[in-house]
Coordinates of all heavy atoms in Angstrom, one line a residue:
M1 N 106.3 1.9 143.2 CA 106.4 2.6 142.0 C 107.5 3.5 142.0 O 107.6 4.4 142.8 CB 105.0 3.3 141.9 CG 104.9 4.1 140.7 SD 103.2 4.5 140.7 CE 103.0 4.5 139.0
T2 N 108.4 3.4 141.1 CA 109.5 4.2 141.0 C 109.5 5.0 139.7 O 109.1 4.5 138.6 CB 110.8 3.4 141.0 OG1 110.8 2.5 140.0 CG2 111.0 2.8 142.4
T3 N 109.8 6.2 139.8 CA 109.9 7.1 138.6 C 111.3 7.6 138.4 O 111.9 7.9 139.4 CB 108.9 8.3 138.7 OG1 109.3 9.0 139.8 CG2 107.5 7.8 138.8
T4 N 111.7 7.5 137.3 CA 113.0 8.0 137.0 C 112.9 9.3 136.2 O 112.3 9.4 135.2 CB 113.9 7.0 136.2 OG1 113.2 6.8 135.0 CG2 114.2 5.8 137.0
A5 N 113.5 10.4 136.7 CA 113.5 11.7 136.1 C 114.8 11.9 135.5 O 115.8 11.7 136.2 CB 113.1 12.8 137.0
T6 N 114.9 12.4 134.3 CA 116.1 12.7 133.7 C 116.5 14.1 134.0 O 115.7 15.0 133.6 CB 116.1 12.5 132.2 OG1 115.1 13.2 131.6 CG2 115.9 11.0 131.9
T7 N 117.5 14.3 134.7 CA 118.0 15.7 135.0 C 119.3 15.9 134.4 O 120.1 15.0 134.3 CB 118.1 15.9 136.5 OG1 119.0 15.0 137.0 CG2 116.7 15.7 137.2
T8 N 119.5 17.1 133.9 CA 120.8 17.4 133.4 C 121.6 18.2 134.4 O 121.1 19.0 135.2 CB 120.7 18.3 132.1 OG1 120.0 19.5 132.5 CG2 120.0 17.5 131.0
A9 N 122.9 17.9 134.5 CA 123.7 18.6 135.5 C 123.9 20.1 135.0 O 124.1 20.3 133.8 CB 125.0 17.9 135.6
P10 N 123.9 21.0 136.0 CA 124.1 22.4 135.6 C 125.6 22.6 135.1 O 126.5 21.9 135.6 CB 123.8 23.2 136.9 CG 124.0 22.2 138.0 CD 123.7 20.8 137.4
A11 N 125.7 23.5 134.3 CA 127.1 23.8 133.8 C 127.9 24.4 134.9 O 127.5 25.2 135.7 CB 127.0 24.8 132.6
P12 N 129.2 23.9 135.0 CA 130.0 24.4 136.2 C 130.4 25.8 136.1 O 130.6 26.5 137.1 CB 131.2 23.5 136.1 CG 131.2 22.9 134.7 CD 129.8 22.9 134.2
F13 N 130.4 26.4 134.9 CA 130.8 27.8 134.7 C 129.8 28.5 133.8 O 129.2 27.9 132.9 CB 132.2 27.9 134.0 CG 133.3 27.2 134.8 CD1 133.8 26.0 134.4 CD2 133.8 27.9 136.0 CE1 134.8 25.5 135.2 CE2 134.8 27.3 136.7 CZ 135.3 26.1 136.3
A14 N 129.6 29.7 134.2 CA 128.7 30.5 133.3 C 129.4 30.9 132.0 O 130.6 30.9 132.0 CB 128.3 31.8 134.1
E15 N 128.6 31.2 131.1 CA 129.2 31.6 129.8 C 129.8 33.0 129.8 O 129.1 33.9 130.2 CB 128.1 31.5 128.7 CG 128.7 31.4 127.3 CD 127.5 31.1 126.3 OE1 126.8 30.1 126.5 OE2 127.4 31.9 125.4
V16 N 131.0 33.1 129.4 CA 131.7 34.4 129.5 C 131.6 35.0 128.1 O 131.9 34.4 127.1 CB 133.2 34.2 129.9 CG1 133.9 35.5 129.9 CG2 133.3 33.5 131.2
P17 N 131.2 36.3 128.1 CA 131.1 37.0 126.8 C 132.5 37.2 126.2 O 133.4 37.4 126.9 CB 130.4 38.3 127.1 CG 130.6 38.5 128.5 CD 130.7 37.2 129.2
T18 N 132.6 37.1 124.9 CA 133.9 37.3 124.3 C 134.3 38.8 124.3 O 133.5 39.7 124.5 CB 133.8 36.8 122.8 OG1 132.9 37.6 122.1 CG2 133.5 35.3 122.8
A19 N 135.6 39.0 124.1 CA 136.1 40.4 124.1 C 135.5 41.2 123.0 O 135.3 42.4 123.1 CB 137.6 40.4 124.0
A20 N 135.2 40.6 121.8 CA 134.7 41.3 120.7 C 133.3 41.8 121.0 O 132.9 42.9 120.6 CB 134.6 40.5 119.5
A21 N 132.5 41.1 121.8 CA 131.2 41.5 122.1 C 131.2 42.6 123.2 O 130.3 43.4 123.3 CB 130.3 40.3 122.6
A22 N 132.2 42.5 124.1 CA 132.3 43.5 125.2 C 132.8 44.8 124.7 O 132.4 45.9 125.2 CB 133.2 42.9 126.3
V23 N 133.7 44.9 123.7 CA 134.3 46.1 123.3 C 133.4 46.6 122.1 O 133.2 46.0 121.1 CB 135.7 45.9 122.8 CG1 136.3 47.2 122.2 CG2 136.6 45.4 124.0
Q24 N 133.0 47.8 122.3 CA 132.1 48.4 121.2 C 132.9 49.6 120.7 O 133.4 50.4 121.4 CB 130.8 48.9 121.8 CG 129.8 49.2 120.8 CD 128.4 49.5 121.5 OE1 128.4 50.0 122.6 NE2 127.4 49.2 120.8
E25 N 133.0 49.7 119.4 CA 133.8 50.8 118.7 C 133.0 52.1 118.9 O 131.8 52.1 118.6 CB 134.0 50.5 117.2 CG 135.0 49.5 116.9 CD 136.4 50.0 117.3 OE1 136.7 51.2 117.1 OE2 137.2 49.2 117.8
S26 N 133.7 53.1 119.3 CA 133.2 54.4 119.3 C 134.1 55.4 118.7 O 135.3 55.1 118.7 CB 132.9 54.8 120.8 OG 133.9 55.5 121.3
N27 N 133.6 56.4 118.1 CA 134.5 57.4 117.5 C 134.2 58.8 118.0 O 134.2 59.8 117.3 CB 134.4 57.3 116.0 CG 133.0 57.3 115.5 OD1 132.1 57.4 116.2 ND2 132.8 57.2 114.2
G28 N 133.9 58.9 119.3 CA 133.5 60.2 119.9 C 134.6 61.2 119.9 O 134.4 62.4 119.7
F29 N 135.8 60.7 120.3 CA 137.0 61.6 120.4 C 137.4 62.2 119.0 O 137.7 63.4 118.9 CB 138.2 60.9 121.0 CG 138.1 60.7 122.5 CD1 138.4 59.4 123.0 CD2 137.8 61.7 123.3 CE1 138.3 59.2 124.4 CE2 137.7 61.5 124.7 CZ 138.0 60.2 125.2
S30 N 137.3 61.3 118.0 CA 137.7 61.8 116.7 C 136.7 62.8 116.1 O 137.0 63.8 115.5 CB 138.0 60.7 115.7 OG 136.9 59.8 115.7
I31 N 135.4 62.5 116.3 CA 134.4 63.4 115.9 C 134.5 64.7 116.6 O 134.4 65.8 116.0 CB 133.0 62.8 116.0 CG1 132.8 61.6 115.0 CG2 131.9 63.8 115.9 CD1 131.5 60.9 115.2
S32 N 134.7 64.7 117.9 CA 134.9 65.9 118.7 C 136.1 66.7 118.2 O 136.0 67.9 118.1 CB 135.0 65.6 120.2 OG 133.9 64.9 120.7
S33 N 137.1 66.0 117.9 CA 138.3 66.7 117.5 C 138.1 67.4 116.1 O 138.5 68.6 115.9 CB 139.5 65.8 117.4 OG 140.6 66.4 116.8
L34 N 137.4 66.7 115.2 CA 137.1 67.3 113.9 C 136.2 68.5 114.0 O 136.4 69.5 113.4 CB 136.5 66.2 113.0 CG 136.2 66.6 111.6 CD1 137.5 67.1 110.9 CD2 135.6 65.5 110.8
V35 N 135.1 68.3 114.9 CA 134.2 69.4 115.0 C 134.8 70.6 115.7 O 134.6 71.8 115.2 CB 133.0 69.0 115.9 CG1 132.1 70.1 116.3 CG2 132.1 68.0 115.1
L36 N 135.7 70.4 116.7 CA 136.4 71.5 117.3 C 137.4 72.1 116.3 O 137.7 73.3 116.4 CB 137.1 71.1 118.6 CG 136.2 70.8 119.8 CD1 136.9 70.3 120.9 CD2 135.4 72.1 120.1
G37 N 138.0 71.3 115.4 CA 138.8 71.9 114.4 C 138.1 72.8 113.4 O 138.6 73.9 113.1
I38 N 136.9 72.4 113.1 CA 136.1 73.3 112.2 C 135.6 74.5 112.9 O 135.7 75.6 112.4 CB 134.9 72.5 111.6 CG1 135.4 71.4 110.7 CG2 133.9 73.4 110.9 CD1 134.4 70.4 110.3
V39 N 135.2 74.4 114.2 CA 134.8 75.5 115.0 C 136.0 76.4 115.3 O 135.8 77.7 115.3 CB 134.2 75.0 116.3 CG1 134.0 76.2 117.3 CG2 132.9 74.4 116.1
S40 N 137.2 75.9 115.4 CA 138.4 76.7 115.7 C 138.7 77.6 114.5 O 139.5 78.6 114.7 CB 139.6 75.9 116.1 OG 140.1 75.2 115.0
I41 N 138.2 77.3 113.3 CA 138.4 78.3 112.2 C 137.8 79.6 112.5 O 138.3 80.7 112.2 CB 137.9 77.7 110.9 CG1 138.7 76.4 110.5 CG2 137.9 78.7 109.8 CD1 138.2 75.7 109.4
F42 N 136.6 79.5 113.2 CA 135.9 80.8 113.5 C 136.2 81.3 114.9 O 136.0 82.4 115.2 CB 134.4 80.5 113.4 CG 134.0 80.1 112.0 CD1 133.7 78.7 111.7 CD2 134.0 80.9 110.9 CE1 133.4 78.3 110.5 CE2 133.7 80.5 109.6 CZ 133.4 79.2 109.4
A43 N 136.6 80.4 115.8 CA 136.8 80.8 117.2 C 138.2 80.5 117.7 O 138.4 80.1 118.8 CB 135.8 80.1 118.1
S44 N 139.2 80.6 116.8 CA 140.6 80.3 117.2 C 141.2 81.3 118.1 O 142.2 81.0 118.8 CB 141.4 80.2 116.0 OG 141.5 81.4 115.3
F45 N 140.6 82.5 118.2 CA 141.1 83.5 119.1 C 141.0 83.2 120.5 O 141.6 83.8 121.4 CB 140.5 84.9 118.8 CG 139.0 84.9 118.9 CD1 138.4 85.1 120.1 CD2 138.2 84.6 117.8 CE1 137.0 85.0 120.2 CE2 136.8 84.6 117.9 CZ 136.2 84.8 119.1
T46 N 140.2 82.2 120.8 CA 140.0 81.8 122.2 C 141.2 81.0 122.8 O 141.3 80.9 124.0 CB 138.7 81.0 122.4 OG1 138.9 79.8 121.6 CG2 137.5 81.7 122.0
F47 N 142.0 80.4 122.0 CA 143.1 79.6 122.4 C 142.7 78.3 123.1 O 143.4 77.3 123.0 CB 144.1 80.4 123.3 CG 145.4 79.6 123.6 CD1 146.4 79.5 122.6 CD2 145.5 79.0 124.8 CE1 147.5 78.8 122.9 CE2 146.7 78.3 125.1 CZ 147.7 78.2 124.1
F48 N 141.5 78.3 123.6 CA 141.0 77.1 124.4 C 140.5 76.1 123.4 O 140.7 74.9 123.6 CB 139.9 77.6 125.4 CG 139.4 76.5 126.2 CD1 140.1 75.9 127.2 CD2 138.1 76.0 126.0 CE1 139.6 74.8 127.9 CE2 137.6 75.0 126.7 CZ 138.3 74.4 127.7
V49 N 139.7 76.5 122.4 CA 139.0 75.6 121.5 C 140.0 74.7 120.7 O 140.0 73.5 120.7 CB 138.0 76.3 120.6 CG1 137.5 75.4 119.5 CG2 136.9 76.9 121.4
P50 N 141.1 75.4 120.1 CA 142.0 74.5 119.3 C 142.9 73.7 120.3 O 143.2 72.6 119.9 CB 142.9 75.5 118.6 CG 142.2 76.8 118.7 CD 141.3 76.8 119.8
A51 N 143.2 74.1 121.5 CA 144.0 73.3 122.4 C 143.2 72.0 122.8 O 143.8 70.9 122.8 CB 144.4 74.1 123.6
V52 N 141.9 72.2 123.1 CA 141.1 71.0 123.5 C 141.0 70.1 122.3 O 141.1 68.8 122.4 CB 139.8 71.5 124.1 CG1 138.8 70.3 124.2 CG2 139.9 72.2 125.4
G53 N 140.7 70.6 121.1 CA 140.6 69.8 119.9 C 141.9 69.0 119.6 O 141.8 67.9 119.2
L54 N 143.0 69.7 119.8 CA 144.3 69.0 119.6 C 144.5 67.8 120.5 O 144.9 66.7 120.1 CB 145.4 70.0 119.7 CG 146.8 69.6 119.3 CD1 146.8 69.3 117.8 CD2 147.8 70.7 119.6
V55 N 144.2 68.0 121.8 CA 144.3 67.0 122.8 C 143.4 65.8 122.5 O 143.7 64.6 122.5 CB 144.1 67.5 124.2 CG1 143.9 66.4 125.2 CG2 145.2 68.5 124.6
L56 N 142.1 66.1 122.1 CA 141.2 65.1 121.8 C 141.6 64.3 120.5 O 141.4 63.1 120.4 CB 139.8 65.7 121.5 CG 139.0 66.1 122.8 CD1 137.7 66.8 122.4 CD2 138.7 64.9 123.7
G57 N 142.2 65.0 119.6 CA 142.7 64.3 118.4 C 143.8 63.4 118.6 O 143.8 62.3 118.1
I58 N 144.7 63.8 119.5 CA 145.8 62.9 119.9 C 145.3 61.7 120.7 O 145.7 60.5 120.4 CB 146.9 63.7 120.7 CG1 147.5 64.7 119.7 CG2 147.9 62.7 121.3 CD1 148.4 65.7 120.5
M59 N 144.3 61.9 121.5 CA 143.7 60.8 122.3 C 143.0 59.8 121.3 O 143.0 58.6 121.5 CB 142.8 61.3 123.3 CG 143.5 61.9 124.5 SD 142.4 62.7 125.7 CE 141.3 61.4 126.1
A60 N 142.3 60.4 120.3 CA 141.6 59.6 119.4 C 142.5 58.7 118.5 O 142.2 57.6 118.1 CB 140.7 60.5 118.5
L61 N 143.7 59.2 118.2 CA 144.7 58.4 117.4 C 145.0 57.1 118.2 O 145.2 56.0 117.6 CB 145.9 59.2 117.1 CG 145.9 60.1 116.0 CD1 147.2 60.8 115.8 CD2 145.5 59.3 114.7
K62 N 145.2 57.2 119.5 CA 145.5 56.0 120.3 C 144.4 55.1 120.6 O 144.5 53.9 120.7 CB 146.2 56.5 121.6 CG 147.5 57.2 121.3 CD 148.2 57.5 122.6 CE 149.4 58.4 122.4 NZ 150.5 57.8 121.7
R63 N 143.2 55.7 120.8 CA 142.0 54.9 121.3 C 141.1 54.4 120.1 O 140.4 53.4 120.3 CB 141.2 55.7 122.2 CG 141.9 56.0 123.5 CD 141.1 56.7 124.5 NE 141.8 57.0 125.7 CZ 141.2 57.6 126.7 NH1 139.9 57.8 126.7 NH2 141.9 57.8 127.8
E64 N 141.1 55.1 119.0 CA 140.1 54.8 118.0 C 140.8 54.6 116.6 O 140.8 55.5 115.8 CB 139.1 55.9 117.9 CG 138.4 56.2 119.2 CD 137.6 57.5 119.1 OE1 137.7 58.2 118.2 OE2 136.9 57.8 120.1
P65 N 141.3 53.4 116.4 CA 142.0 53.2 115.1 C 141.1 53.2 113.9 O 141.5 53.5 112.8 CB 142.7 51.8 115.3 CG 142.0 51.2 116.4 CD 141.4 52.2 117.3
A66 N 139.8 52.9 114.1 CA 138.9 52.9 113.0 C 138.6 54.3 112.4 O 138.3 54.4 111.2 CB 137.6 52.2 113.4
S67 N 138.7 55.3 113.3 CA 138.3 56.6 112.8 C 139.6 57.5 112.8 O 139.6 58.6 113.2 CB 137.3 57.2 113.7 OG 137.7 57.2 115.0
R68 N 140.7 56.9 112.3 CA 142.0 57.6 112.2 C 141.9 58.9 111.3 O 142.6 59.9 111.6 CB 143.0 56.6 111.7 CG 144.4 57.1 111.7 CD 145.3 55.9 111.3 NE 146.7 56.4 111.2 CZ 147.6 56.5 112.2 NH1 147.2 56.1 113.4 NH2 148.8 56.9 111.9
T69 N 141.2 58.8 110.2 CA 141.2 59.9 109.3 C 140.6 61.2 109.9 O 141.1 62.3 109.8 CB 140.4 59.5 108.0 OG1 141.0 58.4 107.5 CG2 140.5 60.6 107.0
M70 N 139.5 61.0 110.6 CA 138.9 62.2 111.3 C 139.8 62.7 112.4 O 139.9 63.9 112.5 CB 137.5 61.8 111.9 CG 136.4 61.6 110.9 SD 134.8 61.4 111.7 CE 134.9 59.8 112.3
A71 N 140.5 61.9 113.1 CA 141.4 62.3 114.1 C 142.5 63.1 113.5 O 142.9 64.1 114.1 CB 141.9 61.1 114.9
I72 N 143.1 62.6 112.4 CA 144.2 63.3 111.8 C 143.7 64.7 111.3 O 144.4 65.7 111.4 CB 144.8 62.5 110.6 CG1 145.5 61.3 111.3 CG2 145.7 63.3 109.8 CD1 146.0 60.3 110.3
W73 N 142.5 64.8 110.6 CA 142.0 66.1 110.2 C 141.8 67.0 111.4 O 142.1 68.2 111.3 CB 140.8 65.9 109.4 CG 141.0 65.7 107.9 CD1 140.9 64.5 107.3 CD2 141.5 66.6 107.0 NE1 141.3 64.7 105.9 CE2 141.7 66.0 105.8 CE3 141.8 68.0 107.1 CZ2 142.1 66.7 104.6 CZ3 142.2 68.6 105.9 CH2 142.4 68.0 104.7
G74 N 141.3 66.5 112.5 CA 141.1 67.3 113.6 C 142.4 67.8 114.2 O 142.5 69.0 114.5
I75 N 143.4 67.0 114.2 CA 144.8 67.4 114.7 C 145.3 68.5 113.8 O 145.9 69.5 114.2 CB 145.7 66.2 114.8 CG1 145.3 65.3 115.9 CG2 147.2 66.7 114.9 CD1 146.0 64.0 116.0
V76 N 145.2 68.3 112.5 CA 145.7 69.3 111.5 C 145.0 70.6 111.6 O 145.7 71.7 111.7 CB 145.7 68.7 110.0 CG1 145.9 69.8 109.0 CG2 146.6 67.6 109.9
L77 N 143.7 70.6 111.6 CA 143.0 71.9 111.7 C 143.3 72.6 113.0 O 143.5 73.8 113.1 CB 141.5 71.6 111.6 CG 140.9 71.3 110.2 CD1 139.5 70.9 110.3 CD2 141.1 72.5 109.3
N78 N 143.2 71.8 114.1 CA 143.5 72.5 115.4 C 144.9 72.9 115.6 O 145.2 74.0 116.2 CB 143.1 71.5 116.6 CG 141.6 71.3 116.7 OD1 140.9 72.3 116.9 ND2 141.2 70.1 116.7
G79 N 145.8 72.2 115.1 CA 147.3 72.6 115.1 C 147.5 73.8 114.3 O 148.2 74.7 114.8
V80 N 147.0 73.9 113.1 CA 147.2 75.1 112.3 C 146.5 76.4 113.0 O 147.2 77.4 113.0 CB 146.6 74.9 110.9 CG1 146.5 76.2 110.1 CG2 147.5 73.9 110.1
M81 N 145.3 76.2 113.5 CA 144.7 77.3 114.1 C 145.4 77.7 115.4 O 145.4 78.9 115.7 CB 143.2 77.0 114.3 CG 142.4 76.8 113.1 SD 142.7 78.1 111.8 CE 142.0 79.5 112.5
L82 N 145.9 76.8 116.2 CA 146.6 77.1 117.4 C 147.9 77.8 117.1 O 148.2 78.8 117.8 CB 146.9 75.8 118.2 CG 147.4 75.9 119.6 CD1 146.3 76.7 120.4 CD2 147.6 74.6 120.2
A83 N 148.6 77.4 116.1 CA 149.8 78.0 115.7 C 149.5 79.4 115.2 O 150.3 80.4 115.5 CB 150.5 77.2 114.6
G84 N 148.5 79.6 114.4 CA 148.1 80.9 113.9 C 147.7 81.9 115.1 O 148.1 83.0 115.1
T85 N 147.0 81.3 116.1 CA 146.7 82.1 117.3 C 147.9 82.6 118.0 O 148.0 83.8 118.4 CB 145.8 81.3 118.2 OG1 144.6 80.9 117.5 CG2 145.4 82.1 119.4
V86 N 148.9 81.7 118.2 CA 150.1 82.0 118.9 C 150.9 83.1 118.1 O 151.4 84.0 118.6 CB 150.9 80.8 119.1 CG1 152.3 81.1 119.6 CG2 150.2 79.9 120.1
L87 N 151.0 82.9 116.8 CA 151.7 83.9 115.9 C 151.1 85.3 116.0 O 151.8 86.3 116.1 CB 151.8 83.4 114.5 CG 152.8 82.2 114.3 CD1 152.7 81.7 112.8 CD2 154.2 82.6 114.6
V88 N 149.8 85.3 115.9 CA 149.1 86.6 115.9 C 149.2 87.3 117.3 O 149.4 88.5 117.4 CB 147.6 86.4 115.6 CG1 146.8 87.7 115.9 CG2 147.4 86.1 114.1
T89 N 149.2 86.5 118.3 CA 149.4 87.0 119.7 C 150.8 87.6 119.9 O 150.9 88.7 120.4 CB 149.1 85.9 120.7 OG1 147.8 85.4 120.6 CG2 149.3 86.5 122.1
F90 N 151.8 86.9 119.4 CA 153.1 87.4 119.5 C 153.3 88.6 118.6 O 154.0 89.5 119.0 CB 154.2 86.3 119.2 CG 154.4 85.3 120.3 CD1 154.5 84.0 120.0 CD2 154.5 85.8 121.6 CE1 154.7 83.1 121.1 CE2 154.7 84.9 122.7 CZ 154.8 83.5 122.4
G91 N 152.7 88.6 117.4 CA 152.8 89.8 116.6 C 152.2 91.0 117.2 O 152.7 92.1 117.1
A92 N 151.0 90.8 117.8 CA 150.4 92.0 118.5 C 151.2 92.5 119.7 O 151.3 93.7 119.9 CB 149.0 91.6 119.0
L93 N 151.8 91.5 120.4 CA 152.7 91.9 121.5 C 153.9 92.7 121.0 O 154.3 93.7 121.6 CB 153.2 90.7 122.3 CG 152.2 90.2 123.3 CD1 152.7 88.8 123.9 CD2 151.9 91.2 124.4
L94 N 154.5 92.2 119.9 CA 155.7 92.9 119.4 C 155.3 94.3 118.8 O 156.1 95.3 119.0 CB 156.4 92.1 118.3 CG 157.1 90.8 118.8 CD1 157.6 90.0 117.6 CD2 158.3 91.3 119.7
F95 N 154.2 94.4 118.2 CA 153.7 95.7 117.7 C 153.5 96.6 118.8 O 153.8 97.8 118.7 CB 152.5 95.5 116.8 CG 151.9 96.8 116.3 CD1 152.6 97.4 115.2 CD2 150.8 97.4 116.8 CE1 152.1 98.6 114.7 CE2 150.4 98.6 116.3 CZ 151.0 99.2 115.2
G96 N 152.9 96.1 119.9 CA 152.6 97.0 121.1 C 153.9 97.5 121.7 O 154.0 98.6 122.1
L97 N 154.9 96.6 121.8 CA 156.2 97.0 122.4 C 156.9 97.9 121.5 O 157.6 98.8 121.9 CB 157.0 95.7 122.6 CG 156.6 94.9 123.8 CD1 157.4 93.6 123.8 CD2 156.7 95.6 125.1
A98 N 156.7 97.8 120.1 CA 157.4 98.7 119.2 C 156.8 100.1 119.3 O 157.5 101.1 119.1 CB 157.3 98.2 117.8
M99 N 155.5 100.2 119.5 CA 154.8 101.5 119.6 C 154.9 102.1 121.0 O 154.5 103.3 121.2 CB 153.3 101.3 119.2 CG 153.1 100.9 117.8 SD 153.7 102.2 116.7 CE 154.8 101.4 115.7
L100 N 155.5 101.4 122.0 CA 155.5 101.9 123.3 C 156.3 103.3 123.4 O 155.9 104.2 124.2 CB 156.1 100.9 124.2 CG 155.9 101.1 125.7 CD1 154.4 101.2 126.0 CD2 156.5 99.9 126.5
P101 N 157.4 103.4 122.7 CA 158.2 104.7 122.8 C 157.4 105.9 122.3 O 157.6 107.0 122.6 CB 159.4 104.5 122.0 CG 159.6 103.0 121.9 CD 158.2 102.5 122.0
F102 N 156.4 105.7 121.4 CA 155.6 106.7 120.8 C 154.4 107.1 121.6 O 153.6 107.9 121.2 CB 155.2 106.4 119.4 CG 156.4 106.1 118.5 CD1 156.7 104.9 118.1 CD2 157.2 107.2 118.1 CE1 157.8 104.6 117.2 CE2 158.3 107.0 117.2 CZ 158.6 105.7 116.8
L103 N 154.2 106.4 122.8 CA 153.0 106.6 123.6 C 152.9 108.1 124.1 O 151.8 108.6 124.1 CB 153.0 105.7 124.8 CG 151.7 105.6 125.6 CD1 150.5 105.1 124.7 CD2 151.9 104.6 126.7
P104 N 154.0 108.8 124.5 CA 153.8 110.2 125.0 C 153.3 111.1 123.8 O 152.6 112.1 124.1 CB 155.2 110.6 125.4 CG 155.9 109.3 125.7 CD 155.3 108.3 124.8
F105 N 153.6 110.8 122.6 CA 153.1 111.7 121.5 C 151.7 111.5 121.2 O 151.0 112.3 120.6 CB 153.9 111.4 120.2 CG 155.4 111.6 120.4 CD1 156.3 110.6 120.3 CD2 155.9 112.9 120.7 CE1 157.7 110.9 120.4 CE2 157.2 113.2 120.8 CZ 158.1 112.2 120.7
A106 N 151.1 110.4 121.6 CA 149.7 110.1 121.4 C 148.8 111.1 122.2 O 147.7 111.4 121.8 CB 149.3 108.7 121.7
F107 N 149.3 111.5 123.4 CA 148.5 112.3 124.3 C 148.9 113.7 124.4 O 148.5 114.5 125.2 CB 148.5 111.7 125.7 CG 147.9 110.3 125.8 CD1 148.8 109.2 126.0 CD2 146.6 110.1 125.6 CE1 148.3 107.9 126.0 CE2 146.1 108.8 125.6 CZ 146.9 107.7 125.8
A108 N 149.8 114.2 123.4 CA 150.3 115.5 123.4 C 149.3 116.5 122.8 O 148.4 116.3 122.2 CB 151.6 115.6 122.7

């Protein structure tokens, strides 16, 4: 008595996922840049918040083309606040240096 079993040969290669399935779009850098841009309106005196937001926005432009608008707004907000912080700091330094000759009269 002979029995014949039908067997299928195993596939020589495993199925490889496509690149579209492996890459998942994320917009974390652009959202972070935009949020830090909005926060830097209130906390720009720290110099740290706008600088980090500016770096994240530039990184988001290169890595996240789908969320380009948020990245650009983050760059603009952080850049303006960073420039304002630098200008105010230099203005305060210049004012302090201009008032330095009058320091002896303050304690007379």
Side-chain angles (χ1 to χ4, degrees):
M1 174 169 220
T2 58
T3 59
T4 57
T6 57
T7 59
T8 58
F13 299 105
E15 200 172 303
V16 179
T18 61
V23 176
Q24 196 175 29
E25 282 292 322
S26 92
N27 51 2
F29 284 131
S30 56
I31 289 176
S32 299
S33 174
L34 182 62
V35 167
L36 287 176
I38 293 170
V39 168
S40 71
I41 293 172
F42 302 105
S44 65
F45 56 87
T46 60
F47 185 77
F48 180 72
V49 174
V52 171
L54 190 63
V55 169
L56 286 174
I58 292 170
M59 288 173 55
L61 277 180
K62 297 188 185 291
R63 294 184 183 186
E64 302 167 355
S67 57
R68 185 174 172 88
T69 305
M70 283 190 288
I72 290 173
W73 272 106
I75 289 171
V76 167
L77 286 173
N78 287 305
V80 166
M81 296 312 294
L82 191 61
T85 301
V86 169
L87 288 175
V88 167
T89 301
F90 282 139
L93 281 171
L94 288 175
F95 181 76
L97 288 173
M99 293 295 124
L100 198 56
F102 300 108
L103 189 62
F105 297 118
F107 299 109

